[in-house]
Amino acid sequence: MTTAQRSLEPSPGLKSRLIGLAVSSRPRQWPKNLLVLAAVLFSGEYHSGSSLLAAVAATAIFTLATAGLYLLNDAIDAPRDREHPVKRRRPIAAGTVPVGLAVGVGVTFSAAALALATVLAWPFGAALAVYLALQVGYSLVLKHLVILDLLAIAIGFVIRAVAGALVIEVPVSPWLYICTFLLALFLAVGKRWAELGGQAHSSAARPVLERYTPEYLRTLVVITAAATPLSYALYTFSAPNLPANHLMMITIPIVLYGILRYVYLLQNDGSGEEPERVLLGDAGILGSVAVWVAVSWAILQFGGG
């Protein structure tokens, strides 16, 4: 190998920083952005190549934006993360990725995503701008405010669903937004409950936990676990964009199983601190999601009016 060739290879320090940036962008969280595709599925616009392409592009843009936001969040949280038994291993907290580099890349990713979103469709760009503002506000202030931290997380998911509808210019039943909000709120409450009761509890890492009690969070779990499938049931037979024969009601037991399975894992396995690990790692939940997607697609495709 020549000297010139060796000079083109990334140095060990550069390589570790690149890996650290990739890890800090949290690829395990990216599947959340698939919610952007909900509108194209339930509106039936997946038959249109242009709409489907726009929805896929919007999902990719949201993924770029969230990757940038995770970098910014970890840069902001680095001092607290260093006092956490697990989070101190994060690349930014551990010093593998300098805070300045993380902020620079995070801002670049977010700005690029906003520019691309505006070019794709300006209403979609506006939705993404609101999402970015909400998430920055969450990282700086809202995650330290009891109850508002949970609502901010849930609203972020609703914005994803709204953005997916805006990019393909279709109306979506308000029930979809309500179901999305309640499901996200349920997951957020479960996460706080698991954090409060697990070894990861550290007031230095997440000060808002000092304002919650296990009893209060358990009550919220019960409320949201009941409200989520109820709202979904109402959606299946009242949404105007669904088949008039109410075949979507067939999927209610699938959703109910997924919710009850998650509550079971919360209470018996201590899961929930990292919802993405539960959602992607539990065979029962993965199976229910796969069956729900397959059955919903079949009903929307062949269910008729």
Side-chain angles (χ1 to χ4, degrees):
M1 182 181 296
T2 66
T3 302
Q5 289 174 320
R6 281 195 297 269
S7 66
L8 293 175
E9 290 188 338
S11 65
L14 176 59
K15 183 177 180 180
S16 63
R17 289 181 180 183
L18 291 174
I19 294 173
L21 287 170
V23 171
S24 297
S25 67
R26 303 189 199 177
R28 284 201 315 271
Q29 304 280 358
W30 295 354
K32 295 176 181 178
N33 297 311
L34 293 175
L35 185 58
V36 176
L37 297 173
V40 77
L41 171 64
F42 285 96
S43 66
E45 284 295 308
Y46 54 85
H47 292 294
S48 167
S50 59
S51 293
L52 183 59
L53 183 61
V56 171
T59 303
I61 290 171
F62 241 94
T63 300
L64 179 63
T66 54
L69 287 167
Y70 284 128
L71 287 166
L72 292 172
N73 181 76
D74 281 6
I76 293 170
D77 285 353
R80 291 191 182 92
D81 287 348
R82 294 188 185 105
E83 300 179 29
H84 191 281
V86 176
K87 294 180 180 180
R88 64 185 180 187
R89 302 190 187 100
R90 288 178 174 176
I92 299 173
T96 305
V97 177
V99 171
L101 176 62
V103 171
V105 175
V107 170
T108 300
F109 281 4
S110 300
L114 185 57
L116 291 170
T118 304
V119 171
L120 182 62
W122 75 261
F124 173 65
L128 183 59
V130 172
Y131 178 81
L132 290 171
L134 175 66
Q135 294 307 310
V136 171
Y138 175 82
S139 294
L140 294 174
V141 178
L142 294 176
K143 69 180 177 182
H144 303 303
L145 302 178
V146 66
I147 301 176
L148 290 180
D149 64 323
L150 302 174
L151 296 179
I153 293 172
I155 292 171
F157 280 85
V158 175
I159 293 175
R160 285 179 171 94
V162 172
L166 290 175
V167 77
I168 59 174
E169 299 180 350
V170 297
V172 178
S173 169
W175 281 110
L176 179 60
Y177 303 139
I178 293 173
C179 293
T180 300
F181 176 82
L182 289 173
L183 177 59
L185 185 60
F186 167 66
L187 296 176
V189 169
K191 177 180 174 67
R192 290 291 184 268
W193 190 26
E195 288 174 336
L196 189 59
Q199 295 180 349
H201 172 39
S202 169
S203 59
R206 198 182 291 280
V208 75
L209 290 176
E210 293 185 336
R211 307 291 301 278
Y212 287 112
T213 64
E215 294 75 17
Y216 177 69
L217 290 173
R218 187 184 301 113
T219 300
L220 292 186
V221 168
V222 172
I223 292 172
T224 54
T228 301
L230 177 60
S231 66
Y232 180 77
L234 292 171
Y235 167 69
T236 60
F237 65 81
S238 65
N241 58 309
L242 297 180
N245 53 23
H246 305 314
L247 275 179
M248 277 297 290
M249 293 184 71
I250 296 172
T251 64
I252 294 174
I254 305 172
V255 172
L256 186 59
Y257 170 80
I259 296 293
L260 296 180
R261 174 69 180 174
Y262 195 86
V263 173
Y264 171 83
L265 294 173
L266 275 176
Q267 292 189 340
N268 293 278
D269 291 356
S271 304
E273 187 177 338
E274 295 183 283
E276 67 279 0
R277 286 187 180 274
V278 181
L279 297 175
L280 298 176
D282 181 73
I285 291 182
L286 275 176
S288 65
V289 171
V291 171
W292 178 82
V293 169
V295 174
S296 297
W297 177 82
I299 291 172
L300 293 172
Q301 182 72 16
F302 307 111

